[in-house]
Amino acid sequence: MDMNPNPQTEFKVILGSSSVARRKILADMGYDFIPMSADIDERAIRKEKPEELVMALAEAKADAIISKLQTIESPENDAKSTIVITSDTAEAITSKLPVDQYKTNAEPTLLITCDQVVVYEGTIREKPSSKEEARKFLKGYSGGRAATVSSVLVTNLKSGFRRGEWDKVEIHFLEIPEQVIDSLIEEGIVLNVAGGLIIEHPLILPYVKEVVGATDSVMGLPKALTERLIQEALQNA
């Protein structure tokens, strides 16, 4: 059952991610969406605490999206509001969405940005920089545990309301066979996700012992948090 059976009566959604997992989560929540990217240098933003880092990256993505909207010309009139959801992966914008259009719409427009890192033995892990690093990450998870820290930030472009929160989930693993790690690295998907951690993959799923928290959060978009922040932003139009 959808969390919100008719969530788009008053707004549209733009998802700033090429992540298949995030697209599926958002679709499961009942939203139709258009992809968009933030296009920021994430490595240029550094924080010691993972919670501070994912929030700072979500803020930077929001600012980048707003800047991008301000440069787009020839607005198409649309009485509905728009939700923009951006994340740590990118896809080109497919429609013209000038920010001034959102400020004058009768309905509020929401900008939603997200980020995620993996924490392993107190160390922050982002996307692996190489196959060698991805192998090191996966070997570390084998028989051990890691945590994901995910952020969601919602900005109401009409009222200026902005609020974000983070969510943390702990994952416990069984021993992961060497051949499974080899196959995952050869396939390459683990190179494009935070910490090389992708628990929903059919090769790794049998070796996930326990997930303490919401699985959708591990996959990159915590449903409950996202929905709550959307509703709060709509109430602060």
Side-chain angles (χ1 to χ4, degrees):
M1 180 180 295
D2 290 338
M3 295 180 66
N4 192 341
N6 187 21
Q8 290 184 257
T9 303
E10 299 178 345
F11 52 84
K12 295 183 298 185
V13 177
I14 299 171
L15 176 62
S17 178
S18 59
S19 164
V20 174
R22 285 193 179 93
R23 290 184 178 189
K24 184 180 185 306
I25 291 169
L26 199 59
D28 287 346
M29 291 173 68
Y31 291 100
D32 295 321
F33 52 87
I34 299 170
M36 188 175 181
S37 67
D39 299 327
I40 66 169
D41 180 6
E42 297 181 26
R43 298 282 181 175
I45 299 173
R46 300 292 85 185
K47 299 288 183 180
E48 289 188 9
K49 295 182 179 180
E51 297 85 358
E52 293 178 355
L53 178 59
V54 293
M55 289 309 305
L57 286 166
E59 291 269 359
K61 290 174 182 179
D63 293 341
I65 291 292
I66 291 172
S67 178
K68 178 178 290 189
L69 294 174
Q70 290 173 334
T71 65
I72 299 174
E73 300 177 351
S74 302
E76 295 178 3
N77 293 328
D78 192 335
K80 295 181 179 180
S81 62
T82 303
I83 291 181
V84 181
I85 303 180
T86 63
S87 182
D88 57 353
T89 50
E91 183 165 323
I93 184 169
T94 59
S95 62
K96 298 177 179 180
L97 302 163
V99 72
D100 288 344
Q101 173 185 339
Y102 302 146
K103 293 180 179 179
T104 57
N105 277 351
E107 300 295 341
T109 296
L110 308 183
L111 169 65
I112 304 177
T113 50
C114 321
D115 197 77
Q116 183 185 73
V117 297
V118 170
V119 179
Y120 175 76
E121 294 185 346
T123 301
I124 295 174
R125 290 180 169 180
E126 297 176 84
K127 295 177 185 176
S129 59
S130 65
K131 288 184 177 181
E132 291 71 25
E133 187 170 50
R135 184 181 300 278
K136 176 184 176 182
F137 286 176
L138 291 169
K139 283 187 174 182
Y141 303 145
S142 181
R145 62 183 180 181
T148 58
V149 179
S150 304
S151 63
V152 180
L153 177 75
V154 178
T155 304
N156 186 317
L157 298 181
K158 186 174 183 179
S159 68
F161 173 87
R162 174 178 285 192
R163 184 175 174 191
E165 293 184 25
W166 54 268
D167 184 63
K168 186 174 183 178
V169 178
E170 191 169 276
I171 308 99
H172 298 252
F173 292 91
L174 301 171
E175 294 290 335
I176 305 172
E178 193 77 25
Q179 61 268 30
V180 170
I181 293 176
D182 290 341
S183 297
L184 287 167
I185 293 173
E186 183 63 28
E187 185 181 65
I189 294 178
V190 294
L191 297 172
N192 300 317
V193 295
L197 193 154
I198 180 168
I199 67 168
E200 70 273 17
H201 194 288
L203 284 177
I204 201 71
L205 188 58
Y207 305 101
V208 177
K209 181 179 181 181
E210 182 183 13
V211 176
V212 184
T215 300
D216 48 75
S217 182
V218 180
M219 295 170 66
L221 189 66
K223 285 183 180 180
L225 175 58
T226 300
E227 190 65 50
R228 176 164 57 81
L229 293 177
I230 286 174
Q231 297 307 316
E232 288 184 19
L234 288 173
Q235 292 168 9
N236 286 271

